Amino acid sequence: MRRIYFTPESLSQTRVLPQVDQVRESLFALEELSLGGGGPVFKPWRKKLGNSGNIRALVRLAQVVRPIPDIDQVVRRLGLDARSTTEDGGVADISESREKPQVVQDLEEFHRIAIAPYWKAISKRLHADRTARGQIMLSDGVGKLLSTLHPAIRWDAPILEVPGNGDDLKLESGGLALAPSLFLAGRPPVLSGGGSDGCPVTLIYPTRVNPEWADSLWEAKGGAEHALHALVGRTRASVLEALTSSCTTTEVGESVGISSAAASQHTSVLRTAGLITTLRTFNKVQHTITPLGVALLNGDMADRS
């Protein structure tokens, strides 16, 4: 076990990220595939991947060296990190001035086949997990948030014990970033950063996968998404999706591609329906999706009956 020592300042800056970056999610997915794990929940995904040569070669490599941290360290040294993912779910090319090792080329291809087609649906689930964690922190504090992340994690203020080997860490000012991962399911959390690379300390934890909605992850267009569009309209559904992260009215408009006036009208309707909340501070308003909105967005309304 590794220990993370918090100061009052670093504890106050602990936060939950919307999701793990796509490069690391690709590595967790590769590890899942090489181990043959995940159970029936990931069976449709494994079947869709097929048996291409590049994937076979990468899986064989992952059975010899560990995707985390070995391959992860290679791609990060070359600059392929969270900043290298594009808005449409792809992975941007590393600088052409540097020749990419074959393992990096294969990883980019693996991401294109195994992650990018499903990233929108995966991202929704990770955002829903983040919202649930935020509710825990709001109602019970950051200590409760840390102690309920995973059974293998132990919180005894001001020390957080997490699985893994390595030196203990003391967070002086910068807080701990928490990031949910889908493909880490069934395995212990992973601690990264805090070393000589200057990367922020991030604890990646597995989000819980519900078999009732897992199959919808692997469809190009989920039935729940079509139903949501039919219920509230395509634009309003896009507004609701944008609010999985708290936004101002202007930010909602920019995200969806509509005017601020139109964004204000849509958020007003969603707020009246109880799908979002709005906090007004001085001349700004901040909109946030509610648990009811998350349930509607993710097609979980049946669980509320």
Side-chain angles (χ1 to χ4, degrees):
M1 299 289 282
R2 296 183 69 182
R3 292 180 177 86
I4 304 173
Y5 294 85
F6 288 84
T7 62
E9 183 179 359
S10 62
L11 189 61
S12 71
Q13 295 186 37
T14 293
R15 62 209 181 276
V16 185
L17 304 178
Q19 64 223 3
V20 68
D21 69 76
Q22 291 186 57
V23 175
R24 282 213 172 99
E25 194 71 294
S26 297
L27 291 169
F28 290 137
L30 174 61
E31 190 170 51
E32 189 82 46
L33 195 62
S34 68
L35 294 173
V41 166
F42 291 94
K43 185 176 180 180
W45 171 74
R46 290 194 295 266
K47 186 175 180 180
K48 284 177 177 288
L49 291 188
N51 200 26
S52 71
N54 284 357
I55 287 182
R56 284 201 310 271
L58 202 54
V59 168
R60 284 196 297 269
L61 178 63
Q63 291 169 343
V64 178
V65 299
R66 297 168 298 175
I68 302 286
D70 299 333
I71 300 178
D72 182 54
Q73 290 174 351
V74 172
V75 297
R76 296 198 182 266
R77 278 200 301 269
L78 291 170
L80 184 60
D81 56 15
R83 295 164 296 180
S84 304
T85 55
T86 60
E87 292 182 359
D88 61 358
V91 173
D93 289 337
I94 304 173
S95 172
E96 294 180 0
S97 63
R98 287 175 290 180
E99 184 178 352
K100 291 181 288 188
Q102 186 62 46
V103 64
V104 175
Q105 296 180 45
D106 289 345
L107 183 62
E108 289 176 338
E109 177 69 7
F110 179 77
H111 173 274
R112 186 186 67 79
I113 297 172
I115 301 297
Y118 316 110
W119 185 249
K120 186 175 182 180
I122 291 171
S123 182
K124 285 182 182 179
R125 291 297 169 180
L126 298 180
H127 274 273
D129 183 279
R130 183 202 193 200
T131 300
R133 304 291 176 182
Q135 293 292 327
I136 292 173
M137 187 160 61
L138 282 172
S139 59
D140 298 300
V142 68
K144 186 71 169 181
L145 167 67
L146 294 172
S147 65
T148 56
L149 281 174
H150 191 273
I153 292 176
R154 183 172 179 269
W155 169 248
D156 185 10
I159 302 170
L160 184 70
E161 293 186 352
V162 300
N165 301 315
D167 296 334
D168 293 344
L169 296 175
K170 185 171 183 179
L171 300 181
E172 297 287 355
S173 54
L176 177 67
L178 306 170
S181 165
L182 177 76
F183 285 99
L184 195 55
R187 285 171 285 160
V190 172
L191 184 66
S192 68
S196 57
D197 56 5
C199 292
V201 181
T202 304
L203 181 63
I204 306 167
Y205 64 90
T207 188
R208 223 174 344 179
V209 181
N210 187 338
E212 293 183 2
W213 51 252
D215 285 349
S216 67
L217 291 172
W218 319 123
E219 300 298 330
K221 289 288 184 181
E225 182 177 349
H226 287 307
L228 178 62
H229 289 175
L231 181 63
V232 301
R234 183 175 298 274
T235 301
R236 204 161 286 158
S238 298
V239 170
L240 191 62
E241 290 173 355
L243 291 174
T244 51
S245 293
S246 185
C247 296
T248 65
T249 303
T250 301
E251 289 169 339
V252 169
E254 291 174 350
S255 175
V256 178
I258 57 178
S259 67
S260 294
S264 180
Q265 292 176 346
H266 286 303
T267 54
S268 177
V269 173
L270 294 173
R271 182 171 59 254
T272 301
L275 300 178
I276 68 171
T277 59
T278 299
L279 178 65
R280 299 179 184 273
T281 54
F282 300 106
N283 62 338
K284 291 181 64 177
V285 294
Q286 200 79 13
H287 308 288
T288 305
I289 194 169
T290 64
L292 179 62
V294 172
L296 178 62
L297 186 62
N298 291 306
D300 292 339
M301 294 303 293
D303 295 339
R304 292 174 168 265
S305 61

